[in-house]
Amino acid sequence: MSNTRALLERSPTAWGVGLALAGAVCFSAKAIVVKLAYAHGVDASTLLAMRMLLSLPLFLGALVYTSLKSHNSERLTLRDYGLIAVTGLLGYYLASLFDFMGLQYITAGLERLILFTYPSLVLLMGCAIRQQWPQPWQLGCMGLAYVGLMVVYGHETVLTGGNTALGSILVFLSSISYASYLILGERLLKRLGTIRVTALATLVSAAAILVQINIQQPMSVIWQQPAAVWGWSVVNAVLCTFVPVFAVMTAISLIGAPRVSQLGMVGPIATMVLGTVILNEPFTIWHAVGTALVLAGVALLTLKKHKESA
């Protein structure tokens, strides 16, 4: 442990950049892993339940470890527990469920672009709470991003047709749920710590999806899944859920949130590349143009926000 700390202190910028990029790529690979698991006939609810069951012990272990290291942890109030329950249902249950359901109908690349627009939803929710209109430059950035999204969506509708609209709506609902989680959980995360809130929210999410599974079908369906589905679920829980949380947290502590946010722009590009190489998803000039517009809109929106905050 001391050797790792020494390495981080020796070249913090290089480590921070590397961890931020690794976290962005791992997060983005989630859609690819889910698609690969779907090839074996598993449904969205069962796959989500397996992900939560496998990642929960990791987060609880991290919670115990951080609690032992920090003896001055703030005590949670009844209100804190209530907010954590709500954020867990929004950010780790509903957001994930809508996302997994949407991935049954659209490509991984389109899914990542839709999710990537969540900063605009956070902005709109914040403006609604403060009862004020977004500034003209903010509307311009959002317009640029959504024009790019419509370019990719329109082209994929022509290429694949089918249930592209349904899949896009489900993933957009996921983005709304995640943005709501960020709005409600921002103060909790800052005051109680990311690991603490994430572990408890994951516990709430796991309980919610298990209740849902128990209503829909026998619980035994989880244990009857083939080895391939369990294998992809382990990858999803560890490499696409647990590892990137720590990678991004460490990167923020080393190089700051604004720079980590900038490096996160690699996420949609990574998903497009992985989707094309691994899943043989289409990638045309329209995908490139649309992706560039989305990245430009979100980048201008978040970078100017960080600059004004600074």
Side-chain angles (χ1 to χ4, degrees), residues 17-265:
V17 170
L19 288 170
L21 291 175
V25 172
C26 286
F27 271 131
S28 300
K30 177 260 302 173
I32 309 299
V33 172
V34 169
K35 287 277 194 181
L36 291 169
Y38 278 156
H40 299 276
V42 64
D43 64 276
S45 298
T46 303
L47 191 60
L48 177 58
M50 296 170 71
R51 175 204 189 194
M52 300 314 300
L53 285 173
L54 290 167
S55 62
L56 180 59
L58 300 176
F59 282 111
L60 291 179
L63 175 62
V64 172
Y65 176 75
T66 53
S67 299
L68 291 175
K69 282 189 62 179
S70 177
H71 301 288
N72 299 318
S73 298
E74 186 173 343
R75 295 178 67 89
L76 274 71
T77 65
L78 189 61
R79 183 173 182 272
D80 290 334
Y81 282 113
L83 286 174
I84 289 173
V86 173
T87 56
L89 291 174
L90 285 172
Y92 293 92
Y93 171 59
L94 287 177
S96 297
L97 183 61
F98 285 137
D99 185 34
F100 279 36
M101 291 170 64
L103 277 168
Q104 296 174 110
Y105 307 111
I106 62 175
T107 62
L110 178 57
E111 177 260 6
R112 180 51 48 182
L113 285 181
I114 296 173
L115 291 180
F116 196 66
T117 60
Y118 77 86
S120 66
L121 298 176
V122 172
L123 171 66
L124 290 174
M125 290 177 184
C127 288
I129 292 171
R130 295 190 299 271
Q131 297 183 343
Q132 66 182 40
W133 284 97
Q135 298 179 30
W137 69 268
Q138 294 172 326
L139 292 173
C141 293
M142 287 188 288
L144 187 64
Y146 283 103
V147 166
L149 191 58
M150 291 308 298
V151 168
V152 178
Y153 168 79
H155 189 59
E156 291 214 357
T157 302
V158 172
L159 287 178
T160 60
N163 292 312
T164 303
L166 175 59
S168 299
I169 291 171
L170 287 169
V171 176
F172 190 67
L173 289 174
S174 171
S175 189
I176 292 174
S177 297
Y178 184 67
S180 303
Y181 154 74
L182 291 177
I183 290 288
L184 291 174
E186 181 180 13
R187 292 183 180 179
L188 281 176
L189 292 167
K190 290 180 178 178
R191 184 164 60 85
L192 303 176
T194 302
I195 290 298
R196 198 177 183 187
V197 173
T198 301
L200 294 174
T202 303
L203 181 61
V204 172
S205 176
I209 189 61
L210 289 177
V211 169
Q212 178 187 329
I213 287 287
N214 195 46
I215 294 173
Q216 288 180 333
Q217 56 198 352
M219 285 288 292
S220 59
V221 72
I222 296 177
W223 318 115
Q224 294 169 358
Q225 294 302 314
V229 174
W230 278 103
W232 289 122
S233 295
V234 169
V235 173
N236 194 359
V238 178
L239 292 182
C240 302
T241 305
F242 182 72
V243 168
V245 167
F246 277 94
V248 170
M249 282 176 53
T250 307
I252 289 174
S253 68
L254 292 172
I255 61 176
R259 192 177 295 183
V260 171
S261 178
Q262 296 170 30
L263 293 169
M265 302 289 173

Side-chain angles (χ1 to χ4, degrees), residues 20 39 96 190 223 271 284-285 287 297:
S96 297
K190 290 180 178 178
W223 318 115
T271 304
T284 65
I285 185 64
H287 288 89

